[in-house]
Amino acid sequence: MAEEILLINKMADGRFHSGQELGEMLGISRAGVWKKLQKIKDKYGLQVDAVKGRGYRLQGPLDLLDRDSIEKVFSQLGIEPPPVELHTTIDSTNAWLMQKAALGIKSGTVCLAEQQTGGKGRHGRQWVSPFGRNLYYSMLLRFDLAPAQVAGLSLTSAIAVLRLLRQMNCHQAGLKWPNDVLWQGRKLAGLLLQVSGESSGPSQVVIGVGLNLGMGQYGEGIDQPWADLRQIPHVQPFNRNELAARLTAHLRDVAEQYLQQGLAGFTDEWHEYDLYLGKQVVISSASNMHTGIHMGIDETGGIRIETEGGIRTFHAGEVSLRGNQNDVSRS
């Protein structure tokens, strides 16, 4: 495995490298190099071009995670770096942090991966995670509060992602309750929060964020409309290391604001980003469907819907939201 990672790091520039060069680096034959490249393709899903007389290259450069680069951005932002765990391949960054949280890992720890094999979105949907293409991120936070008191972080964490996107000139994206990030009706990012703890506190929260940067051909099998930052005009994206550091800073900021102001401190900002506000939507559960006008969120994070029978409030754990996708794009 170590040799395969060395090959990926060497070829991440997207340029051609001769079999002799790669073999000398690893201390193996050209035939051995070929076998290692096949393993890279099979294990990590990376496509390799082979051209006689030129050598081998990955189909497109990779922006790989690097601890020193992440810490450099923290320094530039004037932030004390948290513990950062980097993984090549992992089942799920959320699952890893949840397991380590039980062992007392430090609050603020960030987990990042080049690839996830079991990443999940809401309702257990698979989060497609091609190697080195997108951001697969989780952060652990601990609170003295009861789990029910930190549930609103699900919505405020989505606001943190929107703040990050606006730093990249991505003003067209918006929110779909409770915490999906959409662009022109297509999913750009998703969040998954897992909360545990004693009923009266303390509690711990793992905030998982999947942000599509350059999905490309790897998105062909996704069963819902999706977007990535490369598709969006005029966006000036940060590299993955800077994205990770800046996202951490925004999540810290919203967590601190949440502790001071509660969800009420975010209501106006949420409504500014809410793509469905004032529009007709459908709220569905396992047994019922409700149609009405989206009237915004309340102080608990519930969605308020004006139905024929009056205004009703629904919460994220019990229902899902959908609306007219042609009605939620932003220019």
Side-chain angles (χ1 to χ4, degrees):
M1 178 174 171
E3 291 180 337
E4 295 159 15
I5 298 305
L6 283 174
L7 274 176
I8 292 173
N9 288 337
K10 181 68 173 179
M11 300 174 68
D13 57 11
R15 300 174 181 173
F16 279 105
H17 297 270
S18 70
Q20 180 178 347
E21 174 192 0
L22 298 176
E24 290 175 352
M25 179 185 73
L26 298 178
I28 60 177
S29 66
R30 292 186 182 184
V33 169
W34 173 250
K35 290 180 181 179
K36 293 293 182 185
L37 292 174
Q38 290 303 302
K39 286 185 178 181
I40 287 173
K41 177 180 178 181
D42 295 338
K43 186 171 183 177
Y44 302 112
L46 294 171
Q47 300 300 313
V48 179
D49 293 328
V51 177
K52 188 174 182 179
R54 302 192 69 183
Y56 307 101
R57 70 174 180 185
L58 295 178
Q59 287 186 354
L62 293 176
D63 178 18
L64 297 176
L65 298 170
D66 177 73
R67 187 183 310 277
D68 290 341
S69 298
I70 294 172
E71 292 184 351
K72 180 179 179 181
V73 180
F74 282 127
S75 177
Q76 293 170 348
L77 296 174
I79 295 173
E80 181 181 351
V84 176
E85 299 289 338
L86 300 182
H87 298 266
T88 302
T89 297
I90 197 172
D91 174 38
S92 160
T93 55
N94 261 36
W96 189 90
L97 275 182
M98 288 293 289
Q99 293 167 3
K100 297 300 181 182
L103 302 176
I105 196 170
K106 185 178 179 181
S107 180
T109 297
V110 171
C111 180
L112 292 156
E114 299 289 3
Q115 184 179 50
Q116 294 185 124
T117 58
K120 299 293 183 182
R122 290 192 73 228
H123 306 298
R125 293 190 183 96
Q126 180 187 11
W127 190 266
V128 177
S129 308
F131 188 98
R133 298 291 178 184
N134 303 314
L135 189 68
Y136 317 121
Y137 173 106
S138 295
M139 170 191 258
L140 169 69
L141 293 173
R142 298 185 186 276
F143 301 93
D144 292 330
L145 303 173
Q149 293 177 284
V150 297
L153 283 171
S154 178
L155 281 77
T156 63
S157 297
I159 287 177
V161 176
L162 260 292
R163 291 177 180 178
L164 172 67
L165 290 172
R166 273 152 176 70
Q167 283 190 320
M168 294 182 283
N169 199 37
C170 183
H171 297 280
Q172 310 95 326
L175 297 175
K176 173 189 172 187
W177 180 87
N179 54 21
D180 282 346
V181 179
L182 306 182
W183 176 74
Q184 295 190 352
R186 294 181 274 166
K187 194 163 183 175
L188 177 63
L191 290 88
L192 179 65
L193 271 75
Q194 295 176 274
V195 183
S196 61
E198 301 296 328
S199 59
S200 59
S203 59
Q204 55 198 24
V205 182
V206 172
I207 305 170
V209 180
L211 175 59
N212 296 335
L213 308 180
M215 186 73 77
Q217 63 184 5
Y218 300 99
E220 293 176 358
I222 299 177
D223 63 358
Q224 60 179 314
W226 59 271
D228 61 36
L229 287 179
R230 289 186 181 177
Q231 298 174 349
I232 302 176
H234 312 303
V235 169
Q236 301 166 350
F238 301 120
N239 63 49
R240 292 170 75 223
N241 296 298
E242 187 165 6
L243 273 173
R246 288 183 177 273
L247 176 58
T248 301
H250 285 297
L251 288 171
R252 282 180 170 183
D253 287 347
V254 298
E256 182 63 30
Q257 184 180 344
Y258 182 84
L259 288 175
Q260 295 176 0
Q261 302 174 5
L263 193 55
F266 296 88
T267 304
D268 290 343
E269 189 172 5
W270 175 273
H271 290 157
E272 176 189 349
Y273 300 147
D274 193 329
L275 295 169
Y276 288 82
L277 185 64
K279 303 182 186 301
Q280 182 167 302
V281 298
V282 177
I283 293 288
S284 59
S285 65
S287 57
N288 293 297
M289 295 180 63
H290 305 273
T291 301
I293 303 300
H294 176 13
M295 302 297 292
I297 61 170
D298 68 7
E299 67 278 2
T300 69
I303 185 171
R304 301 168 62 247
I305 304 297
E306 184 177 24
T307 68
E308 292 182 354
I311 294 180
R312 298 190 58 181
T313 301
F314 301 89
H315 291 88
E318 55 197 49
V319 298
S320 60
L321 166 74
R322 59 186 174 86
N324 183 350
Q325 293 294 324
N326 295 324
D327 218 17
V328 297
S329 61
R330 285 188 175 185
S331 57

